[in-house]
């Protein structure tokens, strides 16, 4: 579940990843989550369309429970948007692409 | 991917599934268990033509068996979300994702209800699905609200994976609930906390908890599909059972009175035939 524009982020890399760009979007997912698989292509499209302006990563919550815990992620999928390393927005559950576009555009 | 997904396994949804199969479309019916349908408890249905002495359960079972025999697929889960993208519907039924080109809404009468704090804490302790989000609450205190045997089973599941569960219901009796789970009758519920859920108020009494599972048997159509047009509280349709959303049809009690089986069955058929015609016109069929 990774592509050229979407980075799988693990454990200690997470803090650095948040510094990769002014805007960073992180998709929290797990292999057993049906919604997450349906969302995956949408996340990839967004990463491509906003390449340069937005860094996009994915966190597998099964192997990164601590990161999920730190950001109060308690349901999947949850997508967090960070600006300068701080959470500024989040979307929970299955959402149409428009909802993500709206969230990103608000902070561009 | 299915040609048609049907929400609701009552008379309207089952009639739609039968008609769709007769027209050789693939179809999946997403619904709660038939035994949870109010009609299932009826001892006698006196006014459905052709079967004068039939009970509600026998009628539902016969309709279900007919649809199944014709090849309809059944997903016995709660439909929790519907998202349109890439020319198709992604339908989230608890932990399962069903993909379909057209959608028929036949969920019966469902009232929209939100508890105080529910929206604010969604994904921050509030969840609609135990099998989806339970793992985030192992060793933690959770409150489960439900009205059905399926909800009782989900509460048992949470207990089994290590959550400390209290079960709330407006219904009497513990049903299938495990003996180790305390049961509380409730009228009102409020979800409270700061960043995340910290407690609930049940009829004004505080219960400390980290998670709240709200396992309502159904979701109101407008909550499922924002943008769906209503008319006096029911889904607005024309004679072809088309809603205002392309490729989305509705049938049965959800479109309005009379709340009757024969009307539901007729509308289910019309909805299916309209969906079939719409699918056949699309280039990607
Ligand atoms: C006790 C009783 C006796 C009745 N007697 C008669 C009678 O004699 N004659 C008559 O004509 N009518 C009778 N009715 C009315 C009749 O049952 C309804 O008009 C008919 O069932 C409507 O069919 P429907 O398919 O539109 O909806 P329903 O039968 O309500 O079926 C909808 C189904 O969809 C499910 N559902 C909804 N949302 C979701 C979701 N998000 N996820 C999963 N599942 C979902 C519901 O749980 C339900 O099982 C009776 C009703 C009751 C309760």
């Amino acid at each position: 579940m990774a592509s050229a524009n979407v980075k799988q982020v693990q454990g200690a890399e997470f803090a650095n990843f948040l510094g990769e760009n002014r805007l960073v979007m992180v998709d929290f997912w797990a292999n057993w989550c049906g919604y997450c698989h349906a969302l995956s292509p949408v996340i990839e499209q967004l990463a491509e369309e906003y390449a340069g302006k937005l860094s996009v990563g994915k966190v597998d919550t099964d192997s990164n429970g601590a990161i999920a815990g730190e950001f109060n992620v308690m349901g999947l999928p949850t997508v967090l948007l960070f600006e300068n390393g701080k959470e500024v927005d989040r979307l929970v559950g299955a959402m149409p692409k428009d909802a993500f576009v709206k969230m990103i555009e608000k902070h561009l | 991917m299915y040609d048609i997904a049907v929400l609701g396994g009552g008379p309207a949804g089952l009639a739609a599934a039968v008609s769709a199969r007769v027209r050789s479309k693939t179809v999946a019916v997403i619904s709660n268990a038939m035994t949870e349908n109010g009609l299932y408890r009826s001892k006698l249905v006196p006014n459905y033509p052709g079967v004068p002495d039939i009970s509600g359960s026998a009628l539902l079972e016969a309709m279900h068996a007919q649809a199944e025999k014709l090849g309809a697929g059944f997903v016995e889960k709660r439909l929790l979300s519907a998202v349109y993208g890439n020319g198709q519907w992604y339908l989230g039924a608890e932990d399962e994702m069903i993909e379909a080109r057209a959608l028929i809404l036949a969920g019966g009468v469902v009232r929209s209800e939100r508890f105080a704090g529910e929206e604010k804490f969604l994904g921050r302790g509030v969840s609609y699905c135990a099998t989806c989000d339970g793992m985030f609450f192992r060793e933690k205190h959770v409150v489960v609200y439900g009205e059905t045997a399926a909800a009782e089973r989900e509460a048992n599941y949470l207990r089994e994976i290590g959550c400390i569960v209290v079960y709330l219901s407006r219904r009497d009796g513990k049903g299938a609930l495990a003996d180790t789970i305390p049961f509380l009758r409730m009228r009102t519920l409020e979800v409270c906390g700061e960043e995340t859920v910290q407690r609930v108020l049940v009829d004004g009494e505080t219960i400390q908890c980290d998670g709240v599972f709200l396992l309502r048997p159904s979701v109101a159509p407008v909550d499922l599909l924002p943008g769906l047009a209503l008319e006096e509280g029911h889904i607005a349709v024309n004679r072809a059972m088309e809603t205002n959303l392309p490729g989305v049809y509705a049938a049965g009690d959800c479109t309005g009175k009379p709340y009757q089986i024969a009307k539901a069955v007729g509308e289910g058929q019309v909805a299916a035939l309209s969906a079939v015609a719409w699918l056949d016109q699309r280039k990607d069929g």
Side-chain angles (χ1 to χ4, degrees):
Chain A
M1 299 246 298
S3 73
N5 294 309
V6 180
K7 191 177 170 198
Q8 287 284 353
V9 190
Q10 295 285 350
E13 302 163 12
F14 193 79
N16 284 337
F17 183 68
L18 290 186
E20 227 176 58
N21 210 326
R22 184 179 69 85
L23 279 185
V24 174
M25 189 168 82
V26 182
D27 172 20
F28 288 83
W29 70 286
N31 200 29
W32 45 263
C33 159
Y35 295 146
C36 300
H37 290 283
L39 186 62
S40 202
V42 174
I43 298 293
E44 277 162 30
Q45 283 166 22
L46 292 165
E48 204 178 307
E49 288 162 22
Y50 291 98
K53 297 180 212 156
L54 175 77
S55 296
V56 180
K58 289 173 91 80
V59 170
D60 180 349
T61 57
D62 275 347
S63 47
N64 293 286
I67 303 176
E70 186 184 340
F71 291 96
N72 293 325
V73 171
M74 300 170 143
L76 295 182
T78 291
V79 176
L80 298 192
L81 187 69
F82 296 89
E83 187 173 347
N84 300 318
K86 279 217 181 76
E87 181 189 337
V88 287
D89 236 321
R90 73 165 66 193
L91 285 173
V92 179
M95 293 274 169
K97 188 177 170 188
D98 289 359
F100 293 97
V101 169
K102 235 184 241 161
M103 173 173 83
I104 296 166
E105 295 280 337
K106 209 162 81 188
H107 298 280
L108 270 185
Chain B
M1 161 111 75
Y2 291 94
D3 294 321
I4 300 173
V6 177
L7 164 62
L14 294 171
V18 164
S19 286
R21 285 305 299 145
V22 167
R23 295 300 181 99
S24 305
K25 296 298 178 202
T26 55
V27 56
V29 179
I30 306 164
S31 185
N32 298 308
M34 179 190 345
T35 47
E36 300 286 352
N37 192 311
L39 178 60
Y40 197 84
R41 290 192 298 272
S42 164
K43 294 272 177 295
L44 178 70
V45 175
N47 65 341
Y48 191 68
V51 279
D53 297 316
I54 200 160
S55 66
S57 57
L59 187 59
L60 276 171
E61 267 161 16
M63 288 178 175
H64 189 279
Q66 187 179 3
E68 198 162 34
K69 194 169 169 213
L70 286 166
F74 283 89
V75 181
E76 198 183 293
K77 291 191 172 165
R78 288 173 299 130
L79 184 67
L80 297 173
S81 70
V83 173
Y84 190 77
N86 305 319
Q88 65 172 87
W89 288 95
Y90 295 91
L91 303 164
E94 300 176 30
D95 53 358
E96 207 172 318
M97 179 67 58
I98 292 111
E99 299 177 29
R101 293 190 175 87
L103 177 60
I104 297 176
L105 303 172
V109 177
V110 180
R111 70 199 157 97
S112 178
E113 182 193 37
R114 286 274 180 273
F115 294 123
E118 172 175 345
E119 224 149 323
K120 179 174 170 205
F121 291 107
L122 183 59
R124 296 172 179 270
V126 169
S127 168
Y128 296 132
C129 173
T131 45
C132 309
D133 301 330
M135 288 299 175
F136 290 106
F137 298 93
R138 298 179 91 155
E139 323 283 305
K140 294 190 174 161
H141 289 266
V142 302
V143 160
V144 178
Y145 160 73
E147 303 289 336
T148 60
E152 290 156 5
R153 285 194 300 272
E154 285 193 68
N156 292 346
Y157 164 81
L158 289 170
R159 182 78 197 83
E160 280 159 25
I161 64 169
C163 303
I164 304 141
V165 181
V166 173
Y167 187 82
L168 309 173
S169 185
R170 288 169 175 152
R171 253 187 10 181
D172 256 332
K174 288 186 77 163
L177 204 63
D179 289 335
T180 48
I181 300 176
F183 171 94
L184 286 179
R185 270 295 296 270
M186 68 152 228
R187 282 189 304 272
T188 63
L189 182 67
E190 184 177 341
V191 185
C192 312
E194 278 165 33
E195 280 290 294
T196 59
V197 170
Q198 292 169 331
R199 62 193 173 276
V200 289
L201 293 177
V202 182
D203 300 340
E205 299 274 336
T206 301
I207 299 179
Q208 306 288 338
C209 60
D210 308 292
V212 183
F213 287 85
L214 301 175
L215 309 180
R216 295 187 184 93
S218 47
V219 184
V222 270
D223 294 330
L224 218 44
L225 302 174
L228 185 71
L230 297 187
E231 217 173 274
E232 288 171 27
H234 294 104
I235 302 172
V237 286
N238 60 17
R239 280 191 62 90
M241 296 296 130
E242 293 168 326
T243 68
N244 65 315
L245 304 175
V248 181
Y249 305 83
D253 284 2
C254 65
T255 70
K257 289 178 179 171
Y259 298 152
Q260 291 282 288
I261 302 161
K263 180 258 195 190
V265 165
E267 288 190 354
Q269 185 189 40
V270 175
L273 296 181
S274 296
V276 169
W278 180 80
L279 286 165
D280 288 344
Q281 273 170 16
R282 280 178 49 160
K283 285 182 209 81
D284 59 0

